[in-house]
Amino acid sequence: MISVSVVVPFYNGESTLAACFDALLTQNLPRGSYEVIAVDDGSTDRSGDLASRSGVTLVRQENRGAPAARNAGIRAARGEWVAFTDADCMPSRGWLRALLTAVTAREKPALGAAGPIIGQPAASPASRYVDISGGLDAERHLSHPRYPFAPSGNVMYRRSALALVGGFDERFAAYDACDLHGRLSKAMEGEMVFAREAVVFHRNRDTWSGYWKQQVNYGRGLAQFYFKKSGEIPWSPFRELREWMSLVPPAALACIPGSDDVVLARRGMLVKRLAQRVGFSRTYFSSSERSRWTGEWTPA
């Protein structure tokens, strides 16, 4: 009997998918107790063919974004629990067992579980910056006082709960995990458990251009989150201007010469904040984008 379904959305992921699937198919659980569902979000490289030969269940769809791909995986899932990871991740061998232990060992029903995401060691400055900045620190994200969530690279929820809230809001470019967690927390009782032993390794962006593109997309997702939470998060051109002005001091600090991690942290933070500001501004002040968020999202 399948206890947990693992959903892996991917788009043009041929460089990392093999390692991801190898990690998932060698979990220290009986093979019949879990399934791996890979969702090809309209890839144009060979990743779809790779997935079809790997021994996982493959779902194909036109390119509609990661939230839609995750929803397709949820619909195909048969397990009581649905765990999510990404194509650039490699779960540790005990990942699923640790997540399941975290939710079944409790007296009261749990909403779900999440674990640490650790960057793979890499020599590039961009990858190193992600590690030292704690950008993937799930425990920190879950402790947010207002909008806690777990990154979708290492999280598990009950399938019935996902069905109740309609899964991920497919309008999001990013921040879909934060939105989903908020809706689940309101709809369902139960604690979100942090399973420290449920480790997932992540391949950070190894170039500044790749990191910039990722962070612009995060800024876009944040603006979309502000649209959806407009009654809770007021925003205005004046507030946006203040955010841009606040970049001046870190820009000056980033110009100080040096080569240690302190200097790398300053420069990386500037890249991160500037990229997210660009993505946020382009999205939040776009009338066409704003029109997409005039009503509640409903599943197809």
Side-chain angles (χ1 to χ4, degrees):
M1 183 176 178
I2 294 174
S3 298
V4 58
S5 302
V6 182
V7 173
V8 186
F10 66 89
Y11 174 75
N12 290 351
E14 65 177 309
S15 64
T16 60
L17 270 178
C20 178
F21 292 154
D22 285 347
L24 289 172
L25 295 174
T26 55
Q27 293 288 296
N28 62 357
L29 287 176
R31 188 63 189 87
S33 67
Y34 72 97
E35 62 179 351
V36 179
I37 302 168
V39 185
D40 182 357
D41 187 37
S43 296
T44 58
D45 65 359
R46 298 179 299 170
S47 52
D49 294 335
L50 187 155
S52 68
R53 299 191 303 267
S54 66
V56 304
T57 299
L58 177 61
V59 177
R60 295 181 187 266
Q61 67 175 29
E62 295 181 358
N63 182 241
R64 295 170 50 206
R70 293 188 183 101
N71 283 344
I74 295 169
R75 290 192 293 270
R78 295 177 292 167
E80 178 185 0
W81 297 91
V82 181
F84 299 93
T85 192
D86 293 323
D88 55 0
C89 292
M90 290 180 293
S92 59
R93 193 164 182 266
W95 174 59
L96 281 180
R97 183 181 293 277
L99 288 178
L100 287 170
T101 299
V103 296
T104 57
R106 309 186 70 77
E107 293 183 4
K108 297 181 179 180
L111 175 64
I117 301 177
I118 300 173
Q120 282 187 289
S124 74
S127 179
R128 172 68 180 157
Y129 168 69
V130 176
D131 285 340
I132 64 177
S133 65
L136 295 171
D137 188 343
E139 191 170 22
R140 177 169 64 87
H141 290 308
L142 280 170
S143 65
H144 193 281
R146 192 172 182 185
Y147 298 114
F149 77 102
S152 55
N154 186 355
V155 67
M156 183 178 77
Y157 294 109
R158 200 178 297 274
R159 179 161 61 95
S160 58
L162 292 167
L164 178 66
V165 301
F168 292 86
D169 186 330
E170 298 179 7
R171 295 174 295 181
F172 279 100
Y175 277 80
D176 50 303
C178 184
D179 169 71
L180 173 70
H181 188 82
R183 289 187 287 117
L184 283 169
S185 298
K186 289 180 180 179
M188 304 290 294
E189 294 183 353
E191 182 184 359
M192 191 67 182
V193 187
F194 185 74
R196 199 169 300 280
E197 297 80 15
V199 176
V200 165
F201 297 95
H202 177 261
R203 293 190 180 185
N204 300 331
R205 300 298 190 274
D206 58 4
T207 65
W208 285 117
S209 61
Y211 183 70
W212 172 273
K213 183 178 179 181
Q214 179 192 54
Q215 296 304 310
V216 168
N217 196 57
Y218 286 172
R220 181 185 173 203
L222 181 60
Q224 293 169 337
F225 189 77
Y226 276 36
F227 283 146
K228 190 162 186 177
K229 300 290 184 181
S230 59
E232 303 172 19
I233 311 175
W235 205 249
S236 67
F238 176 72
R239 292 185 182 218
E240 184 65 18
L241 179 60
R242 285 199 309 181
E243 289 296 317
W244 279 98
M245 292 177 63
S246 73
L247 293 177
V248 174
L253 286 173
C255 295
I256 299 174
S259 58
D260 59 10
D261 279 351
V262 174
V263 176
L264 177 61
R266 290 171 181 166
R267 294 174 179 173
M269 179 58 71
L270 177 63
V271 172
K272 176 181 178 178
R273 290 183 61 186
L274 182 59
Q276 289 187 1
R277 233 31 291 137
V278 168
F280 185 95
S281 297
R282 286 177 179 173
T283 304
Y284 193 83
F285 297 103
S286 165
S287 57
S288 60
E289 180 66 31
R290 183 178 295 271
S291 67
R292 298 177 60 236
W293 297 85
T294 55
E296 287 296 318
W297 175 78
T298 54

